[in-house]
Amino acid sequence: QLMGAPIPAGASSTYLRTVLSTARTCMNAAMRYEPRRYDGPVTLFQATGSGEARQARLAAALRRICTGPFSTVALAGDHWGLMRGPHVTETATELDAVLERAGAEGNAIDGS
């Protein structure tokens, strides 16, 4: 509801307090979070609807902590649209392909 979704009609004060408490807890955790360096492979799925400058900033920020192999997959739509409507099929196809490659590479490394 804090992200713009409508509050259900007849929502109780207990429900609203719970929503606010959850939001507060999530925000506090996000503000205290300190990412650690990660040396493994990373595939960044980027929504092309977010704009090139924002995509570049996000990739650069991740590259500072993700020092292993790094690739990006450009997907049509915006942040929320990747999981909805016409774009979800493309997102699922690309995710499946990345997971298949990761599985094949893992099998080649451990001999299974």
Side-chain angles (χ1 to χ4, degrees):
Q1 288 79 4
L2 295 174
M3 301 298 290
I7 295 172
S12 69
S13 60
T14 301
Y15 172 82
L16 294 173
R17 277 193 293 279
T18 300
V19 168
L20 288 172
S21 176
T22 301
R24 186 179 304 117
T25 299
C26 291
M27 293 301 268
N28 286 333
M31 290 170 35
R32 286 192 303 269
Y33 178 71
E34 293 184 32
R36 295 186 212 161
R37 180 178 149 162
Y38 176 70
D39 297 324
V42 170
T43 302
L44 171 63
F45 291 80
Q46 288 195 304
T48 59
S50 63
E52 290 181 24
R54 186 173 187 185
Q55 291 174 22
R57 283 193 311 273
L58 175 58
L62 285 175
R63 289 300 292 147
R64 287 193 289 276
I65 59 171
C66 300
T67 58
F70 190 91
S71 61
T72 60
V73 175
L75 295 166
D78 62 15
H79 176 79
W80 298 110
L82 295 182
M83 297 298 179
R84 294 190 183 124
H87 304 301
V88 71
T89 301
E90 178 188 6
T91 301
T93 299
E94 292 291 342
L95 179 58
D96 189 49
V98 168
L99 292 173
E100 285 290 327
R101 281 193 301 274
E105 291 168 5
N107 289 340
I109 292 170
D110 68 19
S112 36

